[in-house]
Each structure stands twice: as C-alpha cells, then as structure tokens.
Amino acid sequence: MKKIVIIGGGFAGVNLAKRLGGKKEFHITVVDRNNYNFFPPLLYQVATGYLETSNISYPFRRLFRSGKNISFHMGEFEKLIAPENKIILSTGDLPYDYLVFATGAETNYFGMENVKKSALPMKTINDALELRNHLLQKMEEATRTKDESERKKLLTTVIAGGGPTGVEISGMLAEMKKNVLPRDYPEISGHGYESHIYLIDAQDKVLAPMSKKSQSDTFNALTKLGVEIKFGLQVKDYIDDVVSFANGETIETKTLVWAAGVTASVFNGIPEENYGRGRRLIVNEFNEVKGLQNVFAIGDTCLQTTDKQFPNGHPQLAQVAIQQGQQLAKNFIAVESGKTRRPFSYFDKGSMAIIGWNKAVVDIPKPLLHFKGFIAWFIWIFVHLVSLINYRNRIRTLYNWTSAYYSKDQTLRLIIRPKQ
Ligand SMILES: Cc1cc2nc3c(=O)[nH]c(=O)nc-3n(C[C@H](O)[C@H](O)[C@H](O)COP(=O)(O)OP(=O)(O)OC[C@H]3O[C@@H](n4cnc5c(N)ncnc54)[C@H](O)[C@@H]3O)c2cc1C
C-alpha cells in the first residue's frame, strides 16, 4: 500500500481522499488542524446569525468512518523533511510515499499590524463566531450609551474588500438592519441615530472577476439596500477606532471586517524559490511541487500556470480545488495501474454571489449567460445546498433558510464566548 498523506481537509483534500477511498493500493491519512471540515462560502451566514456552525461543518472522523483505507490525524503541519519522506506535525511525525499540500489560503493583512490586531477576518469558523459575537456585542453597547459619537462608531461597520465575501456580508448586514433592528432593538431603531454600512474597495468595482453586468447589478442592489459603497480607498491603518485610507480619508468605527485579501502559507522545509505569486507553491501540470519528489499541492495553496486558459494561475475558488483533488486522485490511480497521467485543466462552471433576499448575480461562461434577481438567487441557493458535504447539513441549512426567508428573521443571534 502506498502511504498518501494529505495536509488539509478542505475542498481539495477531501475530494482527493474520497476519490481514493476503498482503493486497496493506497492508505490515506488526512491531517488537519481542526477536527472538522467546513464550507467557507457560507461562513458569513454564521457570522450574521442565519446559520449554525454545525450546518456548514462536519467532523472528519465521521466523514471518513466508512472509508477503511482513510485515517484522520489532527495536527498542524510544522516541517517537511523531504530526504526522509517524512513530515513533522505539532502532534507527531508521519512518513509518506506521496505528500499532498491542500492547506488553502490565509488572511492577508499586507503587513498592517494594527489591522491584523483589531480588524475581524472571515476565513475560519472561529472568525465567523468572533464576528457574530462582536456585532451583537456592539449592538448591545449601542442600546446603552448616551454618547452620540460613541453610538455612531458602534453603529458603523466598514467592510474592506468588494469581492464575494465583502458583498455578501454587507448585503446580509443591510438586510438585518432593515428586518431585525426594528424588532429586536427598539432602543436604537426609529430614533434617527446615525448608522452606516460601508463597503470599500481599492479598485473601482465590486466583484472584480465577474461580468460587468454582475458588477453593476450588485452595485445597484447593494446601494438600494442602503450599503454605502466607496471605491478607490486603500486601507492604511486601523487604530483607536479610526480606519485611515491612503488618500487621507478616515472613517470612525468599532467594526472593521477584513475581506480584502488572502495569501498562501510558507512551509518549513520547502525552499523559497518554490513559491510564486501570493506565496503559492509552484506546481507542474500534474500538481507536483517544483523541485521536490513525490510532493504535490492542490487548491488555493498552489500556483499552476500550465493550463492554457489560465496562464497566470487559477482563481482561488472552490471548484478549482475540487477538480484538482479529483484529478490528482485519478493520476495516482493511473500511475499504480501503469497508465498515463492527465494534465490538469480547469472546467469553469461559472461564478455567483448573493446580495440579499431574492437578490443575487450569476455568470455562466459557456454559453455566456447572466442572471440576476430572484432566478439568480434561486440558482445560488440550489448550488450552495447541493455543495454542502452531506444530506444532514443540506436539510438543516434548508430548514434554517426557509424559516429565515418567511420570517425575515432568525433566532441564532447568540453571544457565546468560550472562557478565555
Ligand atoms: C469567506 C469565504 C467565502 C468564499 N466564497 C466562495 C464562493 O462563494 N465560491 C467559491 O468558489 N469560493 C469561495 N471561497 C474560496 C474557497 O473557499 C476556496 O477557494 C477553497 O476553500 C479552497 O479549497 P482548499 O481545499 O484549497 O482550501 P480550504 O478549503 O481552505 O482548506 C484548507 C484546509 O487546510 C487546513 N490547514 C491549513 N493549514 C494547515 C496546517 N498548517 N496544518 C494542518 N491543517 C491546515 C485548514 O484547517 C482547512 O481545513 C470563499 C472563501 C472564503 C474564506
């Protein structure tokens, strides 16, 4: 049996492991720092109290229970010792025949230490819970304060980054302001207090990788919902409740949500020249890491420039990660059965973003189609439901969405802080 160690149980790692499940030529060990898989595209719904964490996450040991040749090891990657075909984890050492990095990406603060210290990222389940607690805590404080300028800061949210995450969070917050605030916070609602939801971006568009139609539809829908979109603003600092921008402008707020960039991780034991743009590991058409033997990288953490349609590398999207995981599994099987490996080529199924209830945008590349409004929202709901890891999570999510849709409300707005 070939020992395959996969570091990271996200879209890429899980799809690779599942495809190799039951193949008697391999034994697979999935390593992850968490004991659960989760679905990043719906994190913001946990942060805004529309979904529970268990709707979008699932324990690895339960997931791999039926795969006799798959084991799970909880631990953090620490070092690669390539000459010995071994990795060091925070929880022990593991030997491998094939090693696969599927570690995704992490939040990029572009070296701004104060932003890193005080802004709220949106990358993990912990981040989503932290943001949910923070938003609800600030609302409670706003109900109590008599200081007008303090109240304005508490009721102002700045979301940095006009990509899908920034758009989706700002849309959801605007829906909450419209539907939940008047019912749950009578001390604030209807008193004419100043409050803002700013979505800011350094570029002059939202949803930059999507079509011009999607960009303008999203801009119009968010503006109509009350989101104040500001372009050409690059965050420089965030200190003492003041976000300052490169052009000298400032916004006072207690809440800066950071959805402005990601970067891959640097791994101890992999030489500097093996990393490309965004610190992504440079791989060839078979996802082999440059200069290393039997070491592979898939998903957000790799940079593959061999796909003719994506000479600068693939976008860091779930579908790329899923397809790379599946293709690598086929290639491992091909090698074991003496067949030829196939180079990876990404099949773009399209992109989408939700803006609010009954509002979304969808771009499909072939044939070129654009949807907006209710139909796009319906497509978004369907695609996200079927993409969840199993039936249990799909049913729970559908239930929560249905009840939230009809009541325009949800009861998950709980401040739960584990003891520090
Ligand atoms: C808020 C948000 C919204 C998004 N929305 C969309 C969307 O709408 N559509 C879309 O296509 N894409 C979206 N994405 C991007 C998409 O989630 C990623 O492209 C995808 O998750 C990449 O899959 P992956 O397997 O490479 O990494 P991930 O899914 O990030 O998985 C990486 C795994 O590795 C583990 N890990 C990382 N480092 C270590 C380590 N050192 N040791 C052990 N384990 C480690 C992590 O715990 C994690 O389980 C979104 C991302 C975010 C954060």
Side-chain angles (χ1 to χ4, degrees):
M1 269 183 154
K2 284 262 158 47
K3 288 190 281 294
I4 301 183
V5 174
I6 304 167
I7 309 168
F11 285 108
V14 162
N15 275 281
L16 169 60
K18 277 168 124 186
R19 285 279 165 133
L20 295 175
K23 303 273 179 244
K24 55 182 185 315
E25 307 90 317
F26 305 105
H27 183 271
I28 299 109
T29 306
V30 175
V31 175
D32 204 291
R33 53 161 72 117
N34 299 313
N35 76 334
Y36 55 83
N37 165 274
F38 71 99
F39 190 77
L42 292 179
L43 277 176
Y44 75 96
Q45 297 225 354
V46 172
T48 47
Y50 281 89
L51 289 179
E52 296 166 61
T53 49
S54 61
N55 296 166
I56 64 161
S57 48
Y58 204 68
F60 284 117
R61 288 188 180 275
R62 177 75 175 83
L63 187 64
F64 299 133
R65 195 195 272 178
S66 55
K68 297 272 179 274
N69 62 337
I70 308 179
S71 344
F72 173 67
H73 184 117
M74 186 169 161
E76 176 105 24
F77 173 84
E78 283 187 349
K79 192 173 182 186
L80 166 67
I81 307 181
E84 294 176 34
N85 280 10
K86 187 169 99 175
I87 54 167
I88 315 270
L89 304 169
S90 56
T91 46
D93 302 356
L94 279 180
Y96 64 81
D97 294 310
Y98 297 129
L99 175 68
V100 184
F101 285 93
T103 40
E106 56 188 68
T107 306
N108 189 355
Y109 298 96
F110 304 99
M112 294 179 283
E113 282 305 316
N114 291 328
V115 175
K116 186 174 177 182
K117 205 168 94 193
S118 307
L120 294 138
M122 184 46 50
K123 201 73 191 78
T124 63
I125 293 273
N126 287 350
D127 293 342
L129 289 177
E130 195 57 42
L131 179 57
R132 185 175 86 187
N133 286 338
H134 176 95
L135 290 169
L136 297 171
Q137 191 74 49
K138 295 305 137 195
M139 292 302 289
E140 291 301 330
E141 289 172 29
T143 62
R144 294 192 302 264
T145 185
K146 302 277 179 282
D147 180 330
E148 203 178 312
S149 85
E150 182 73 359
R151 189 189 306 115
K152 185 179 160 195
K153 283 194 251 174
L154 288 163
L155 295 179
T156 295
T157 304
V158 176
I159 298 126
T165 306
V167 163
E168 292 177 346
I169 295 181
S170 50
M172 223 39 162
L173 289 177
E175 291 281 7
M176 282 174 79
K177 190 172 165 182
K178 195 168 100 188
N179 298 307
V180 176
L181 195 83
R183 292 190 266 182
D184 279 15
Y185 298 92
E187 302 95 325
I188 303 171
S189 181
H191 294 278
Y193 296 148
E194 210 179 325
S195 92
H196 302 272
I197 300 169
Y198 293 109
L199 176 62
I200 59 115
D201 200 285
Q203 298 186 52
D204 59 355
K205 49 177 97 70
V206 287
L207 300 178
M210 292 190 73
S211 69
K212 289 225 159 9
K213 273 187 188 161
S214 285
Q215 291 168 5
S216 63
D217 290 343
T218 304
F219 182 91
N220 294 336
L222 281 178
T223 308
K224 216 167 148 194
L225 271 174
V227 176
E228 297 166 61
I229 303 175
K230 288 171 159 262
F231 290 134
L233 286 186
Q234 195 183 343
V235 173
K236 248 184 69 189
D237 208 350
Y238 181 43
I239 188 160
D240 297 335
D241 301 335
V242 179
V243 187
S244 24
F245 301 98
N247 67 356
E249 272 186 54
T250 56
I251 299 178
E252 287 193 305
T253 179
K254 297 266 184 193
T255 310
L256 170 62
V257 181
W258 193 250
V262 292
T263 176
S265 307
V266 170
F267 301 103
N268 202 347
I270 299 192
E272 221 171 274
E273 64 269 20
N274 293 18
Y275 299 93
R277 191 169 46 82
R279 301 201 309 210
R280 291 157 81 181
L281 284 170
I282 301 169
V283 295
N284 67 10
E285 66 273 38
F286 305 113
N287 286 87
E288 285 166 315
V289 177
K290 180 185 158 190
L292 292 173
Q293 267 202 335
N294 299 330
V295 179
F296 300 77
I298 51 177
D300 278 5
T301 199
C302 79
L303 182 67
Q304 188 175 52
T305 53
T306 47
D307 191 342
K308 275 196 200 100
Q309 284 178 313
F310 300 89
N312 296 321
H314 299 105
Q316 286 165 299
L317 291 174
Q319 266 304 320
V320 176
I322 292 169
Q323 292 177 30
Q324 282 185 335
Q326 293 172 343
Q327 181 62 45
L328 184 58
K330 286 185 194 159
N331 282 343
F332 281 144
I333 295 165
V335 169
E336 285 310 297
S337 46
K339 294 191 183 136
T340 321
R341 294 185 295 179
R342 266 187 51 199
F344 179 73
S345 142
Y346 173 50
F347 174 60
D348 183 3
K349 294 183 179 171
S351 45
M352 58 186 72
I354 191 167
I355 303 157
W357 293 119
N358 300 331
K359 298 176 203 72
V361 285
V362 173
D363 289 338
I364 295 173
K366 280 177 198 156
L368 196 62
L369 290 172
H370 166 75
F371 299 100
K372 66 171 183 173
F374 180 78
I375 180 145
W377 178 79
F378 192 77
I379 297 171
W380 186 97
I381 294 274
F382 177 77
V383 168
H384 282 75
L385 266 185
V386 298
S387 305
L388 286 168
I389 196 120
N390 60 15
Y391 282 105
R392 191 184 295 222
N393 284 15
R394 284 173 209 152
I395 290 164
R396 285 178 181 163
T397 300
L398 182 63
Y399 170 79
N400 275 327
W401 278 345
T402 311
S403 71
Y405 183 72
Y406 284 108
S407 62
K408 295 282 181 290
D409 201 353
Q410 189 54 287
T411 51
L412 302 171
R413 290 185 295 279
L414 313 169
I415 302 174
I416 298 173
R417 286 190 187 279
K419 199 171 171 190
Q420 295 291 313

